[in-house]
Structures are given as C-alpha cells and as structure tokens.
Amino acid sequence: MQVTTYWLEHAWLGTHVEPGVAVDVADGRITAVRDGVQDPPQGAQALRGLTLPGLANAHSHAFHRALRGTVQVGSGTFWTWREVMYDVAARLTPDTYFALARAVYAEMALAGITAVGEFHYLHHAPGGVAYADPNAMGEALIAAAGEAGIRITLLDTAYLSAGFGEPPNRHQLRFSDGTADAWAERADGLKDGEHVRIGAAIHSVRAVPATELPTVAAWASARNAPLHVHLSEQTAENDACRAAHGRTPTRLLADHGVLGARTTGVHNTHLTDDDIALLGSTATGTCMCPTTERDLADGIGPAPALQAAGSPLCLGSDSHAVIDLFEEARAMELDERLRSRTRGHWTAAALLRAATADGHAALGWHEAGRLAPGALADFTTLALDTVRTAGPAPRLGAETAVFAGSAADVRHTVVGGRHVVRDGVHAAVPDAARALTEAIAALHG
C-alpha cells in the first residue's frame, strides 16, 4: 500500500488550529494524523497556509453559472430572473452541458470545494422528448465532476408541474417525466460510483403534486439516499400552497412523509414557528444559500432558530452569483447580524462545520469533512499571506478564513489524496476562466 504524506503548516482540526501536522494518505483515505511535526518530513508534500477539510457545496444548479452578470442588468424579481434562466436552459445539450459543468466544477475546486450537491432537473431534450439515453444530461454532469476532480451527489429532481394543479409550461417540458413513477423509473438508471452518489430531490411543493410526494420520498428511503427540496423560498409559494392545500409547504411535506434526517430543505426562508418546530423535531436539514438569496431578494431565513430547533445547517452557492463557500459562511452570520442587530450568532468553527462536515453529511458523504484517520483524504489549503488574510496570528486561522478569506485565497485542493489544484492552478483545467468563457459563449451565441 503506497502512502503519501502531506505536511500541513497549519491545520484546522474542528475545534482549533494546530501548527505542524503530518497527514498520511493511502487508497484515498487519511490513515494517520500526527501533530507536533515542526518541519516537513522527507518526501512529504508541504501545504503552506491553513488546511481545512474540503468544502461541501450542498446546493448547485451548474447551468445557472451562465447567468452571472446577465441577470444583473436592470431590475426585476425572482420571477423575471426565472425567465432568463429558462432561456439558458433551453439552449443546453448533453455536450454543451458537460463543457459548462466541467468548467463550473473546476471553478469550485479552485475555491476549495471537494464535493457538490447538483440539484438536477434539466432531464430531456427541448419539448420534453427523452434522449436515447434518458439520463444523458445527468451523466454529463457526473462525467464533468469526474474530469474536474470533485465528488458529486447528483440529486435527480422530480419536476412535474408549473404550479398547483397546472401542467408544465413550455419551458418546463424538459424538466418533467410526467409522473413520479416515471421519474423513479428513469432515476433507477443512475448508479453510484467512486466519485458519485445518487440522491433525489423534489423541486418544490408547487412542482410536484402532493399525491406524488410519497413516491419520491419512498425512492430515496429505499436507497438510504439524500433527499433535498426547495422549501418556502418565496412567500408567493406559501400563499399558493395554503390556497391549494390549507397548510404550509412544510406541513404538506411532513404529512406526506418527506421530512427526516436524510432530507434537506433548501432556503427554508419564510417559515412559521410551527414549520421551524417540524423541521427541527424531524432533524430535517437546512441548506442556506445567502449569496443567491440576497441576489434574488428572497429574504433572510431563520437559521439560528432552525439550528436551535434541531435542524443541521449547511451551505450552497445555488445560482452561482459567486462561487465562494467562505462568503456563504460569512454571509449567514452577517445577514443575521443585520436582521437582528446583534453579533456572534455562530463561531467561526461552527460556520466552518456547516461548510464542511455538515455539508458532506447532507450529501451522503458522511466519511468526509474532517481531518481524521478513516476520513476521505479531501482537504483544501488557504493562504495566510494574501492582502486579505495577512496579519492575524495563525491560531486565528478559522476566524481569518471565515471573516476575511475568499475563494481567491485557496492555493491547494486535494481530493481522494490527489492534488486537483496546486498553487492555485487546476491540474485538468489549467485555464478555467477560458473554459468558462468558451462554454458560456457557446450558449449565448
């Protein structure tokens, strides 16, 4: 068994920063963690700066990366933004989606992200016609993540209607399988692999009829797979759900067996006290996506109350207005400060846990997100000598990372013991900016 040793100048070990840590890796996992190692052992790969467990981006729509900048022209609402999104979705093919996602996932690796939860609902060809391979679009995403060197949980998404009692509109025909049973039959063709795990998603209560919800929940339960759902992102959805069902979206999901420890609600923004109690008592997770929630003017969700009730928190970049999990962590705290006019809702360590261990758990990668023997050898190193991070003592590395650092400060990313990003350059996509430019130009051209 070949062992590779990484020497970490400073390592965040979950509760504190430890100087001089040697990490042995074999077969993609950490086999030993030794502290008190002042200098790099002979033959070790030195990672200078602060090394953290790899970051988990728990909520992604890869094709939304093509909207960056474009949707900032003028003003509008979530619903006008959605029309621009539909236009981009209509242009994608398996080949162009692969090229775009490969570049997007390379951008994530450059930002220290080692696993992504891809909330995937763009299943079919224009008009809703199935590809020869019904999972061609999902397989393109899986292949893209593999080439970009990160892990992916493909959250294959049921998206069956335009609203309560409404059939899919012309834009949404590509998303729909018609029924939850047909969705499940297609999703059965997707398989776990070394870098991929298959999960399920309910797009939202407006997009999956209540009678179909148990089928999706049962599919995920039978596979012990993660189940994610957009939940109460918009007040209009809450109002429509009450009008159709006489209850909130959270209660509707609870009544149809969707909530539970393997389930994560994405956004969870506009909740009642009863909703919060339901999510907490069932240990249903919460994925906050602050940069998208503020970009779309969604509002600030009750993250402290959710966590206090028992809902684990994780983070996602969602629409990729930016791809920076340090900013997502920082924004969760700072947005809450603005809302409450008080400081210190989470420590830096708690925010890093949301970005690492709890994010991986929400995606079904329970063996990732920590620097410990037996864990997957997925970690990232943040420079402590940039204009953003220089100054604080290394023992304050967690605070520096969360409250000052950015994706631009990432120097190394290691996945499964293999260097994916070295000295700020992606090994397989050395010019990620050009790859993004070309992939997005192909859609807008």
mmCIF file of all heavy atoms in Angstrom, residues 9 26 65 148 153 214 233 244 267 290 299 313 322 334 381:
data_model
loop_
_atom_site.group_PDB
_atom_site.id
_atom_site.type_symbol
_atom_site.label_atom_id
_atom_site.label_comp_id
_atom_site.label_asym_id
_atom_site.label_seq_id
_atom_site.Cartn_x
_atom_site.Cartn_y
_atom_site.Cartn_z
ATOM 1 N N GLU A 9 1.222 23.126 7.241
ATOM 2 C CA GLU A 9 1.842 24.156 8.074
ATOM 3 C C GLU A 9 0.931 24.516 9.250
ATOM 4 O O GLU A 9 1.382 24.652 10.384
ATOM 5 C CB GLU A 9 2.136 25.393 7.229
ATOM 6 C CG GLU A 9 2.880 26.475 7.994
ATOM 7 C CD GLU A 9 3.146 27.710 7.149
ATOM 8 O OE1 GLU A 9 2.374 27.960 6.187
ATOM 9 O OE2 GLU A 9 4.121 28.421 7.448
ATOM 10 N N ALA A 26 -3.542 6.909 2.140
ATOM 11 C CA ALA A 26 -3.410 5.705 1.326
ATOM 12 C C ALA A 26 -4.787 5.314 0.820
ATOM 13 O O ALA A 26 -5.782 5.418 1.553
ATOM 14 C CB ALA A 26 -2.801 4.562 2.136
ATOM 15 N N ARG A 65 -24.638 29.155 -13.718
ATOM 16 C CA ARG A 65 -23.379 29.912 -13.820
ATOM 17 C C ARG A 65 -23.362 30.778 -15.075
ATOM 18 O O ARG A 65 -22.728 31.846 -15.098
ATOM 19 C CB ARG A 65 -22.199 28.933 -13.804
ATOM 20 C CG ARG A 65 -20.826 29.555 -13.998
ATOM 21 C CD ARG A 65 -20.466 30.563 -12.925
ATOM 22 N NE ARG A 65 -19.129 31.109 -13.125
ATOM 23 C CZ ARG A 65 -18.846 32.105 -13.939
ATOM 24 N NH1 ARG A 65 -19.807 32.669 -14.673
ATOM 25 N NH2 ARG A 65 -17.614 32.560 -14.040
ATOM 26 N N ALA A 148 -13.301 17.275 -13.519
ATOM 27 C CA ALA A 148 -12.881 18.414 -12.701
ATOM 28 C C ALA A 148 -12.283 17.973 -11.375
ATOM 29 O O ALA A 148 -11.746 18.794 -10.626
ATOM 30 C CB ALA A 148 -14.062 19.346 -12.450
ATOM 31 N N THR A 153 -22.834 14.588 -5.616
ATOM 32 C CA THR A 153 -24.086 13.912 -5.311
ATOM 33 C C THR A 153 -25.100 14.454 -6.299
ATOM 34 O O THR A 153 -25.467 15.638 -6.235
ATOM 35 C CB THR A 153 -24.541 14.171 -3.868
ATOM 36 O OG1 THR A 153 -23.568 13.608 -2.976
ATOM 37 C CG2 THR A 153 -25.891 13.513 -3.604
ATOM 38 N N PRO A 214 -45.084 11.123 -1.901
ATOM 39 C CA PRO A 214 -44.641 9.880 -1.252
ATOM 40 C C PRO A 214 -43.799 8.981 -2.155
ATOM 41 O O PRO A 214 -42.928 8.250 -1.660
ATOM 42 C CB PRO A 214 -45.955 9.203 -0.858
ATOM 43 C CG PRO A 214 -46.949 10.319 -0.748
ATOM 44 C CD PRO A 214 -46.554 11.283 -1.826
ATOM 45 N N GLU A 233 -39.014 29.282 -0.362
ATOM 46 C CA GLU A 233 -38.084 30.319 -0.816
ATOM 47 C C GLU A 233 -38.823 31.635 -1.051
ATOM 48 O O GLU A 233 -38.266 32.710 -0.846
ATOM 49 C CB GLU A 233 -37.388 29.865 -2.108
ATOM 50 C CG GLU A 233 -36.390 30.862 -2.657
ATOM 51 C CD GLU A 233 -35.687 30.372 -3.908
ATOM 52 O OE1 GLU A 233 -36.044 29.291 -4.427
ATOM 53 O OE2 GLU A 233 -34.776 31.074 -4.376
ATOM 54 N N ALA A 244 -54.204 26.045 -2.019
ATOM 55 C CA ALA A 244 -54.475 24.736 -2.619
ATOM 56 C C ALA A 244 -54.708 23.649 -1.582
ATOM 57 O O ALA A 244 -55.522 22.741 -1.797
ATOM 58 C CB ALA A 244 -53.316 24.350 -3.538
ATOM 59 N N HIS A 267 -33.112 26.682 1.403
ATOM 60 C CA HIS A 267 -33.564 28.049 1.678
ATOM 61 C C HIS A 267 -34.333 28.118 2.998
ATOM 62 O O HIS A 267 -33.913 28.808 3.910
ATOM 63 C CB HIS A 267 -34.392 28.637 0.530
ATOM 64 C CG HIS A 267 -33.710 28.638 -0.787
ATOM 65 N ND1 HIS A 267 -32.490 29.263 -0.970
ATOM 66 C CD2 HIS A 267 -34.040 28.079 -1.979
ATOM 67 C CE1 HIS A 267 -32.099 29.090 -2.219
ATOM 68 N NE2 HIS A 267 -33.012 28.368 -2.860
ATOM 69 N N PRO A 290 -26.878 32.098 1.032
ATOM 70 C CA PRO A 290 -27.054 33.536 1.235
ATOM 71 C C PRO A 290 -26.755 34.403 0.018
ATOM 72 O O PRO A 290 -27.442 35.406 -0.189
ATOM 73 C CB PRO A 290 -26.086 33.842 2.384
ATOM 74 C CG PRO A 290 -25.961 32.556 3.133
ATOM 75 C CD PRO A 290 -26.031 31.502 2.073
ATOM 76 N N GLY A 299 -34.956 37.129 0.878
ATOM 77 C CA GLY A 299 -35.116 37.372 2.301
ATOM 78 C C GLY A 299 -34.071 36.603 3.087
ATOM 79 O O GLY A 299 -33.243 35.886 2.515
ATOM 80 N N LEU A 313 -27.301 22.771 9.768
ATOM 81 C CA LEU A 313 -27.120 23.771 8.721
ATOM 82 C C LEU A 313 -25.991 23.389 7.776
ATOM 83 O O LEU A 313 -24.943 22.894 8.201
ATOM 84 C CB LEU A 313 -26.800 25.132 9.343
ATOM 85 C CG LEU A 313 -27.823 25.726 10.303
ATOM 86 C CD1 LEU A 313 -27.332 27.071 10.830
ATOM 87 C CD2 LEU A 313 -29.178 25.886 9.626
ATOM 88 N N VAL A 322 -21.876 34.056 -7.053
ATOM 89 C CA VAL A 322 -20.450 33.851 -6.801
ATOM 90 C C VAL A 322 -20.292 32.400 -6.385
ATOM 91 O O VAL A 322 -21.254 31.767 -5.949
ATOM 92 C CB VAL A 322 -19.876 34.781 -5.701
ATOM 93 C CG1 VAL A 322 -20.002 36.238 -6.092
ATOM 94 C CG2 VAL A 322 -20.539 34.525 -4.366
ATOM 95 N N LEU A 334 -23.354 37.419 8.916
ATOM 96 C CA LEU A 334 -23.507 38.870 8.782
ATOM 97 C C LEU A 334 -24.932 39.264 8.410
ATOM 98 O O LEU A 334 -25.424 40.312 8.861
ATOM 99 C CB LEU A 334 -22.515 39.406 7.755
ATOM 100 C CG LEU A 334 -21.027 39.209 8.103
ATOM 101 C CD1 LEU A 334 -20.140 39.936 7.096
ATOM 102 C CD2 LEU A 334 -20.716 39.671 9.516
ATOM 103 N N THR A 381 -6.290 24.111 1.123
ATOM 104 C CA THR A 381 -5.373 24.985 1.845
ATOM 105 C C THR A 381 -5.580 26.432 1.437
ATOM 106 O O THR A 381 -5.566 26.763 0.244
ATOM 107 C CB THR A 381 -3.915 24.576 1.590
ATOM 108 O OG1 THR A 381 -3.736 23.202 1.961
ATOM 109 C CG2 THR A 381 -2.962 25.442 2.396
#
